[in-house]
Structures are given as C-alpha cells and as structure tokens.
Amino acid sequence: MSTNLLPFPTNWQTGLVLVAHPDDPEYGMAAAVARWTGEGRRVVYALASSGERGIEGMIPAECGPLREAEQRASARIVGVDEVEFWGFPDSDIRNTPELRAKITETVERIAPQVILSLYGGPEWAPGQPNQRDHMEFSAAVLDAYDQLAASRPDVAPSWLFENGPAATHAVEVDDQFETAVRSLAAHDRYLSVLDPNTPVSDQARAQIDRATAPRDGSPRRVTGFELKRSR
C-alpha cells in the first residue's frame, strides 16, 4: 500500500457505482470492483446514459444498444450482474433536478454503504481536460448525496468516493490486473473505432497499467479513490 494513501474501507457489503457512460467504470475502477466482488461484496452499476453518441459513424439508435451490451459483458467479467441505464442524453448530461432525483431514488432502492462516482474536476492533469458530462454528473451525485444526508441521514451511504487523480484511499489490485484488462477490452467496438490503429487488447492493457500504477515507490498496483463525503 502506498504510504500516502489510506486503506479503502472494508466494513461494507453493497457498493453503488454511479457513472455517466458505458466504459466509465472500466477506465479506472474495474480492478477494484473485481477484488470486491471476489470478496463476496455486491456491486451495482448505474449509468446515466447508454453512450449512444459515443461511436463515430454509428447512429444513436444502433450505438446505444451496442454499448449497453458491451457494458453488461464488461461488468460480468468483474463479477457485476446488476447494471442499469437511466436514459439521460449522452453528451448532454446536466446537473438537473431530474438527474438528482434519479440518483436519490437509486441510492434509496439499492441501499449501498458506499458510492463510487466519477471524478468531477476540470482536468485530469495539465492539458488533459475532463468531459463536461463527467463534471455535471459528478456534481449531481454530490448534490444528491448532500440532500439525502440532510433529509434522510438514516439511508445516506457512509462514504462517497470519486475515482480520480487526487486519491486519498487505495485498494491493492495486483491480482485483479488481468481481469480489469479483459473487462475494458470487452468494449471492443467502441475501442476499435476510438483507435483503429491499436489492437483493443493493447489499448486496454495500456489504460489499466496507467490506472493501477504503483505509487510512492510501492511495488503494489493500486486503484485510488478520493473521499468526497462521509458520515
């Protein structure tokens, strides 16, 4: 474990992954999710959109169902059988009352002890801007959590983490690296269009290698999360 990162909490049974698009969990969280499901924990994926505008040259009516199918296949690889899509418009996600209400309804229905959300900052690193959908969605999750904690503290999850560059906690994932690579590679059509010159497996391996890189001189691979809320 990195000397500067705290161990991720372990006293929970149900986790809810809240993201904007298909493939969002796989780019940063898949290895941690594989570890958690391997430990017998329940993890649920909820996606605001179906990513229907995410594949160049494909109409939304064709792209949406394809990306949903790839997401479900990807989730199964890391042990997640519960995946839901909310139908908000890809590339036009906003922190609206409707989105916050859907987040709240889902939290109340799933009853997680921990939420895993998207990074909401403006940049992943200098010159690497975040997507507007991600920033709006992250803000909606934070607002919905705050409203729920104020009105229904009995059902508000104990922790809300974001998977981003300013990690405060980490999960060791050496044993889950290959599983995470396969999970991202399950987005085969999406990745093959995104970078037609690089094999999908190579794209996936390079991304998971970056996402789980050892930190602070530790030899262990980790997935990092930033604690945004707790109670």
Side-chain angles (χ1 to χ4, degrees), residues 37-227:
T37 60
E39 293 171 344
R41 305 181 199 276
R42 176 193 181 202
V43 178
V44 179
Y45 284 2
L47 296 88
S49 80
S50 298
E52 67 274 8
R53 296 181 63 185
I55 298 180
E56 184 177 358
M58 186 178 293
I59 63 172
E62 181 182 354
C63 183
L66 171 67
R67 297 204 69 198
E68 286 189 8
E70 289 190 339
Q71 181 60 71
R72 293 185 189 281
S74 176
R76 284 194 295 271
I77 291 170
V78 294
V80 174
D81 298 319
E82 299 172 81
V83 183
E84 56 186 69
F85 302 89
W86 296 342
F88 287 87
D90 182 19
S91 300
D92 194 26
I93 294 172
R94 295 287 188 270
N95 180 7
T96 61
E98 293 77 16
L99 179 56
R100 295 193 297 273
K102 184 59 179 178
I103 293 167
T104 299
E105 180 275 325
T106 304
V107 171
E108 291 177 334
R109 171 166 47 86
I110 302 298
Q113 292 84 46
V114 60
I115 291 173
L116 296 313
S117 184
L118 288 172
Y119 173 61
E123 289 186 318
W124 282 88
Q128 298 180 24
N130 200 0
Q131 294 183 33
R132 184 181 64 185
D133 272 7
H134 292 175
M135 293 187 286
E136 290 281 337
F137 184 79
S138 171
V141 172
L142 290 171
D143 288 348
Y145 181 93
D146 290 342
Q147 294 167 5
L148 189 60
S151 62
R152 295 284 310 278
D154 56 314
V155 299
S158 298
W159 304 278
L160 191 164
F161 287 91
E162 288 183 358
N163 177 227
T168 58
H169 293 65
V171 183
E172 291 189 355
V173 293
D174 270 349
D175 295 340
Q176 290 75 34
F177 178 82
E178 294 295 338
T179 302
V181 171
R182 293 197 305 274
S183 182
L184 179 54
H187 294 276
D188 180 74
R189 186 72 175 275
Y190 173 76
L191 292 174
S192 65
V193 174
L194 185 67
D195 182 358
N197 297 317
T198 305
V200 165
S201 59
D202 290 351
Q203 291 185 56
R205 184 168 299 277
Q207 172 58 33
I208 301 305
D209 185 57
R210 289 190 295 268
T212 64
R215 307 183 187 208
D216 303 327
S218 169
R220 305 286 290 178
R221 289 190 174 275
V222 297
T223 299
F225 295 90
E226 180 183 0
L227 180 63

